[in-house]
């Protein structure tokens, strides 16, 4: 009998711990979603991913434009830079 009671007590303790961890994770998620909304006007993770993809694309284009302009300056200066 004692073994069965110990097992049930252990299961209850585990369930309570897991519930606390789930509650903490939900709280952390809520904080981050609020930050996305406040800082970046993103109402969902999907929208945030879209905004990030757009920013990455813009950064890539800017880097390409910089490289092209740099190459043009080098060519125009006949390597005197």
């Amino acid at each position: 009998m004692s073994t069965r009671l110990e097992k049930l007590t252990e299961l209850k303790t585990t369930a309570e711990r897991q519930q606390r961890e789930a509650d903490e994770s939900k709280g952390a998620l809520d904080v981050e979603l609020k930050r996305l909304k406040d800082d970046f006007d993103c109402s969902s993770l999907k929208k945030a991913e879209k905004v990030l993809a757009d920013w990455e694309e813009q950064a890539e284009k800017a880097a390409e434009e910089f490289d092209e302009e740099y190459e043009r300056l080098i060519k125009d200066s006949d390597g005197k830079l």
Side-chain angles (χ1 to χ4, degrees):
M1 279 299 228
S2 173
T3 307
R4 218 170 164 185
L5 181 59
E6 288 172 354
K7 183 65 174 171
L8 288 174
T9 302
E10 181 183 327
L11 287 173
K12 180 182 177 195
T13 301
T14 300
E16 289 170 345
R17 179 181 47 79
Q18 290 176 338
Q19 183 62 52
R20 280 191 309 275
E21 291 173 359
D23 292 344
E24 289 172 8
S25 295
K26 171 127 178 37
L29 177 62
D30 289 345
V31 167
E32 291 305 316
L33 288 174
K34 182 179 182 332
R35 193 173 78 113
L36 281 173
K37 175 69 174 158
D38 293 346
D39 294 352
F40 304 103
D41 196 30
C42 295
S43 56
S44 69
L45 187 56
K46 188 171 187 165
K47 171 130 191 220
E49 290 171 341
K50 171 75 169 103
V51 168
L52 178 59
D54 291 346
W55 286 352
E56 288 173 337
E57 185 178 325
Q58 290 173 8
E60 186 175 321
K61 285 180 182 177
E64 289 172 5
E65 290 172 10
F66 174 84
D67 289 343
E68 289 170 4
E69 184 65 16
Y70 178 77
E71 291 297 322
R72 187 188 64 73
L73 287 171
I74 294 294
K75 186 177 179 181
D76 289 350
S77 69
D78 292 327
K80 295 178 186 170
L81 288 179

